[in-house]
Amino acid sequence: MIGFVLVSHSAKIAEGARELAEQMTQGRVAIAAAGGIDDPAHPIGTDPMKIVAAIEAVYSDDGVIVLMDLGSALMSAETALEFIEPERAERVHLCSAPLVEGIVAAAVQATAGGTVDQAMAEAQSALEAKRAHLNEAAMLPPAQDEPITSDATHTLRVIIPNALGLHARPAAKLVALTGQYQANLTLRVGDRTVNARSINQIATLGARQGDELIAAAVGPDAVDLLAAVQRLADDNFGDPLDLPAAPSADGQIERHDGVPDHVIVGIGASPGIAIGVVQRLEDERLAIPERNVADSLAEAARFDAAVATAVADLRQLETTTRQRIGGERAGDQAGIFEAHRLILEDPELIARVTEAITATSQNAESIWWAQVQALADRYRALPDPYLSGRAADVIDVGKRVLRHLLPGQTRGLRFDQPCILVAADLSPSDTAQLDSAQVLGIITVAGGATGHTAILARALGIPAVVGAGPAVQRIEAGQQIALDGGSGWIWTTLSDDERQTLAAQRADWLEAQQQLRQRAHEPAITRDGLRIEVAANIGQPDDARQGAAAGAEGVGLFRTELLFMGRESAPTEDEQYQAYCEAASHLSGGPLIVRILDVGADKPIDYLPVAAEANPFLGYRGVRNWLDAPAIARAQLRAICRASAEHNLKIMFPMVSTIAELRDVRERLRAIQAELSAEEIAHNPDLEVGVMIEVPAAVLMADQLAPLVDFFSIGTNDLAQYIMAADRGNPAVNHLADYCQPAVLRAIRLVTKAADDAGIWVGMCGEMAGDPLAVPLLVGMGITELSMNAPAIPAVKAVIRTLDRSACQALVDQALALESPEAVRTLLESRASEQISG
């Protein structure tokens, strides 16, 4: 990959530009800073020998690009080339692009596999976006009006199929897709053309269902990239087929005759009846100061840190939303926060803010909020009501960063009693954090049925009426009201008859839901008497309560990394002990399987730094990282062992790939148990130990791992991507990371056979465990514990009760003989309507 050198008269400027570029590229590009001179009294200047050392540090046969600020920086760079071996000097290119804009543009191009020429071109055109934003078109060179169908350009024309057009989530998929190919992609609708690497440009293109989208690609992978875009379009741009169409442009609610005066009619956004006391959530008003700063580079760094923390927040919110909602649609709702994250990772937006901070020496909060408002205004100006509604997402993202820039700014969403929440509007971030036991219903002044708040409310099962207009502002806190999330009616006062009627309707609605859950609390036993333990995956202690309420018989995976995130230091031994005991207390003696801390470059923790990695999924994570953090490992082991004295705990180690790793972690566990015994602290000396089977090495070594543990737990999410060498986050190949791939099924079968031979049990805690269609295969392969997101539990238990082991085993034989995941699914679907019996 190309290397980069930044030459500036100021060491701080060079380092700041390097830091910005590394943040944009997540450390995947080699960048060296050669700023200033080594004279404390007169540090401003450039040093040719420092530039030589920088070039040598990042040298690559793919080339090195040197960017300089001004004046003598160019002469020093030219002098430096004279001290470099000629064959190497030929691969070093001095670039006339502006330092900050140029390195960001060129480094991003390099991460996509761009050549030196492509990266130089990107750097030299880096000012165009700023000029366009400032309406300085007259300063630009004449446009090269090359037709989109030129020989150098490959094109694709598609009619946008999805009901909501290219909104944030399809835009996010297009950005991610483009980054996987060595090609530049532009998208045109009508007379507007945008860069497909910017989520904001795509989303503000205003592309609606039925519009013709012209995709133009240039580069070595242009044909393959357009084929991938076609596949994405054929897949409805990743949107569900049954999404409702966008509302009418005026967004007005039709007032029907016969509506009583005390009833407000809004948009029914999430079905169900709610009756309760109003809790008003006032608009979040953040006080945004405006001030000059003494050190603009430090201020830019503070902004970068706030963005990085906000990105980490959104990754966590995406994960917890997926866990809470469960089921096959969980990814759609969690994708809302992936789109939020990509808004924050838009290099043009971040670069505009950083440049403004360094150019004006104004504080980050004021500049960031001005840019957020400008971007939101661009969304609001779109004629399509769904796309214009995405301005709320931009504001939500903007406020998230502000909370990290402004001390003491928090949003309280916990209430003293169950209530109906009334607000001007609710952000997706707020909605995703609501507890359905506390919030009986939601009413908002603004919003629509296709908004992200409505989508999340439906997924969480909270009745909601949105877009009810200014009349909602007259509803007072403490007032008794009712709503119907199906019809959109809101009763601001209730007569006795209305109260009785609505209470009866609510009772019917709750009973219908209860019937769906009722048998979930009964054991899952096959028709021939085999009991399958159905458990929940959790990330926080209270999730165990929700899992138990959904019918979980235990916890098959406690992701303990959530206890470590969002803190300045690791949780103490006592804090962890309390967390494990609290989770176990909800399970009525059922098992709690605690996975030790599993972090890496993909899930960074500030106080446990991990260097940026080109592929963190193949890097320093799981037990590899944990074994090198003895203080954290010791505190966690002691807390787990102490909690095991009172509760049914088991311990599980992730990312185990060698026998040596397993022996090491077992020895550490034995040492902690001996330590507790010496201190006369109670613990379970027979604590069960398991390993996650999630890498191919563990599959192939399963027969040697099995005698050393009490159980296996198969993590199909990672196992599928490792076996198929397909990153789940890469839209170009993520279809390969399918747990119905015959190769993955064969790997699972190898693991269950090794476990059976060793006399240990096998569980599963990946997404496959919660797929009712796949359950017959898992039972047939001998898996006796399935752990999943809580909402999937009732359906999985219902399927298990229809099964017979011998018929399931025959189904496994059929599936293992097939050649593709599509064929496997066809087989499973053909059996899903039948009752599998002997």
Side-chain angles (χ1 to χ4, degrees), residues 130-219:
K130 186 192 296 185
R131 285 169 172 162
H133 180 74
L134 296 175
N135 296 317
E136 294 178 354
M139 298 175 62
L140 295 175
Q144 301 297 314
D145 192 19
E146 182 181 41
I148 200 167
T149 55
S150 71
D151 291 340
T153 304
H154 298 271
T155 63
L156 169 72
R157 295 172 183 264
V158 298
I159 301 300
I160 295 175
N162 50 320
L164 302 178
L166 297 187
H167 58 99
R169 280 172 287 165
K173 290 181 181 294
L174 281 165
V175 171
L177 189 69
T178 304
Q180 308 305 319
Y181 292 89
Q182 293 185 38
N184 289 323
L185 180 69
T186 59
L187 304 174
R188 177 184 293 179
V189 172
D191 59 357
R192 286 204 62 203
T193 301
V194 300
N195 183 346
R197 295 181 186 275
S198 169
I199 185 174
N200 294 314
Q201 287 192 28
I202 297 172
T204 56
L205 185 60
R208 307 186 195 183
Q209 185 181 39
D211 285 348
E212 182 182 55
L213 176 72
I214 302 174
V218 180

Side-chain angles (χ1 to χ4, degrees), residues 368-453:
W368 167 247
W369 191 241
Q371 291 290 342
V372 166
Q373 294 282 23
L375 180 57
D377 287 343
R378 285 166 56 194
Y379 277 90
R380 292 187 187 104
L382 295 172
D384 183 277
Y386 179 81
L387 294 175
S388 65
R390 300 287 67 76
D393 294 277
V394 174
I395 295 297
D396 190 7
V397 169
K399 287 183 175 180
R400 182 175 292 278
V401 175
L402 280 180
R403 291 189 200 105
H404 291 297
L405 289 169
L406 298 168
Q409 299 285 352
T410 59
R411 180 80 152 164
L413 292 169
R414 296 293 173 183
F415 310 108
D416 295 334
Q417 61 178 336
C419 63
I420 293 177
L421 191 60
V422 176
D425 201 359
L426 272 180
S427 71
S429 298
D430 289 341
T431 308
Q433 297 177 68
L434 297 179
D435 183 347
S436 57
Q438 284 190 318
V439 179
L440 305 176
I442 297 170
I443 298 171
T444 65
V445 174
T450 57
H452 288 163
T453 293

